[in-house]
């Protein structure tokens, strides 16, 4: 029984380490490409229907807690490695594998299978929760949409100190654009984790794609797991030019390598470009890390 528990613990630690090691969110958390032309006002994250002061206080508290825990979470990987090494050494030196029978090997295989099934099911549930059906809302904007009024985040939000500069074409729908951007962000993260660069190519400029391919290759070919909690999306500005429409979006939240990780707070702005013409795609042309 003691040998069985040791084997099970070693498998669990090994699988956890293999999934979370070196995981990074889309873009590697770096500034790259064409810098956004609009400055973010660094609004505190808020939720639909929340009061301004309450939302600000709650977001600040959550961000502070995640930041403190984020430093500690960086040590979880090395500590898990030390623990696994000590465990395996104890098993080998102490005779943990002595007298292993075919039944023990079968038990190990069943445990590994169940763990992988659990991880796969969790991943599918996350994708169903975050990913919309298709990418049409962000990739192609319909020209007959009318501009939406009211708050960016909906509901009766508190007045915003400084409105973004919106020099948008008549077909631009601010509310739909922000909601589609949220789905856009999550879809890109999923493709990044799965190393699906062919799908990422649909969302980014050729220059960005070359950088992303190099960055993802440095992480290895294997699947990685990244979770984004408390995602907030803010439109910083829109500029309608002769050859293209440019928009700046700021995404903030907490990036985790697993549901058990406290994560790290992030804020980054994306430079989105859309060529003039009907049925054109919005593409990520650059990313800027804020702070």
């Amino acid at each position: 029984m003691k040998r069985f528990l040791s084997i099970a613990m070693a498998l669990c630690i090994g699988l956890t380490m293999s999934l979370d090691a070196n995981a990074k969110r889309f873009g590697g958390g770096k500034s790259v490409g064409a810098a956004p032309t609009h400055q973010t006002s660094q609004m505190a994250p808020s939720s639909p229907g929340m009061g301004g002061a309450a939302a600000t206080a709650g977001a600040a508290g959550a961000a502070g807690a995640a930041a403190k825990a984020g430093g500690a979470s960086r040590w979880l990987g090395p500590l898990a490695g030390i623990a696994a090494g000590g465990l395996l050494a104890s098993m080998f030196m102490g005779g943990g594998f002595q007298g292993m029978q075919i039944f023990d090997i079968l038990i190990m295989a069943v445990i590994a299978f169940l763990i992988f099934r659990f991880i796969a099911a969790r991943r599918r549930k996350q994708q169903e929760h975050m990913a919309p059906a298709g990418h049409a809302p962000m990739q192609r904007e319909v020209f007959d949409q009318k501009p939406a009024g009211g708050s960016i985040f909906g509901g009766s939000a508190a007045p915003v100190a400084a409105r973004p500069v919106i020099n948008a074409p008549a077909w631009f729908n601010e509310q739909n654009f922000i909601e589609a951007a949220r789905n856009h962000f999550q879809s890109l993260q999923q493709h990044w984790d799965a190393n699906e660069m062919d799908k990422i190519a649909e969302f980014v400029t050729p220059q960005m794609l070359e950088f992303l391919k190099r960055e993802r290759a440095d992480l290895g070919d294997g699947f990685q797991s990244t979770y984004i909690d408390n995602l907030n999306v803010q439109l910083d500005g829109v500029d309608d030019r002769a050859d293209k429409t440019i928009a700046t979006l700021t995404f903030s939240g907490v990036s985790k390598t697993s549901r058990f990780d406290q994560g790290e707070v992030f804020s980054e702005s994306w430079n989105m470009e859309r060529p003039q013409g009907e049925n054109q795609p919005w593409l990520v042309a650059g990313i800027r890390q804020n702070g």
Side-chain angles (χ1 to χ4, degrees), residues 32-253:
V32 62
T37 56
H38 309 95
Q39 294 296 321
T40 174
S41 58
Q42 293 294 330
M43 291 171 56
S46 61
S47 299
M50 292 180 62
T56 302
K68 291 178 182 179
S73 67
R74 296 174 185 173
W75 294 95
L76 293 179
L79 289 175
I82 294 172
L87 175 64
L88 292 174
S90 173
M91 291 169 65
F92 278 111
M93 300 298 291
F97 287 109
Q98 250 181 5
M100 179 175 285
Q101 304 296 323
I102 185 66
F103 183 70
D104 297 322
I105 297 174
L106 289 175
I107 291 176
M108 291 173 63
V110 170
I111 292 173
F113 173 75
L114 291 176
I115 292 174
F116 277 118
R117 283 288 301 273
F118 169 76
I119 293 170
R122 186 180 66 179
R123 186 63 186 176
R124 283 196 302 272
K125 185 176 180 181
Q126 180 203 15
Q127 290 177 343
E128 291 171 0
H129 176 71
M130 294 190 304
H135 310 310
M138 190 67 177
Q139 287 297 84
R140 303 286 188 272
E141 286 218 40
V142 181
F143 272 67
D144 60 1
Q145 291 175 339
K146 297 180 180 179
S151 168
I152 290 178
F153 297 102
S156 55
V160 181
R163 283 282 298 167
V165 179
I166 306 295
N167 175 30
W171 50 262
F172 183 79
N173 186 311
E174 182 177 325
Q175 193 78 29
N176 290 353
F177 182 74
I178 291 174
E179 186 57 34
R182 181 185 304 275
N183 297 331
H184 205 65
F185 185 95
Q186 299 284 23
S187 295
L188 275 169
Q189 185 61 67
Q190 292 167 23
H191 295 322
W192 176 261
D193 284 347
N195 197 18
E196 297 172 337
M197 301 308 296
D198 57 329
K199 295 182 179 179
I200 289 178
E202 302 175 15
F203 294 84
V204 302
T205 62
Q207 295 80 4
M208 278 291 295
L209 182 62
E210 290 306 311
F211 166 81
L212 293 170
K213 284 181 176 179
R214 295 192 298 269
E215 192 70 20
R216 189 60 177 84
D218 290 341
L219 300 178
D221 296 330
F223 181 88
Q224 70 169 25
S225 181
T226 308
Y227 299 87
I228 304 296
D229 285 347
N230 304 326
L231 179 62
N232 288 274
V233 187
Q234 173 181 297
L235 179 64
D236 292 322
V238 180
D239 189 12
D240 189 28
R241 301 181 179 180
D243 59 336
K244 58 187 174 183
T245 303
I246 298 176
T248 300
L249 289 161
T250 293
F251 300 89
S252 60

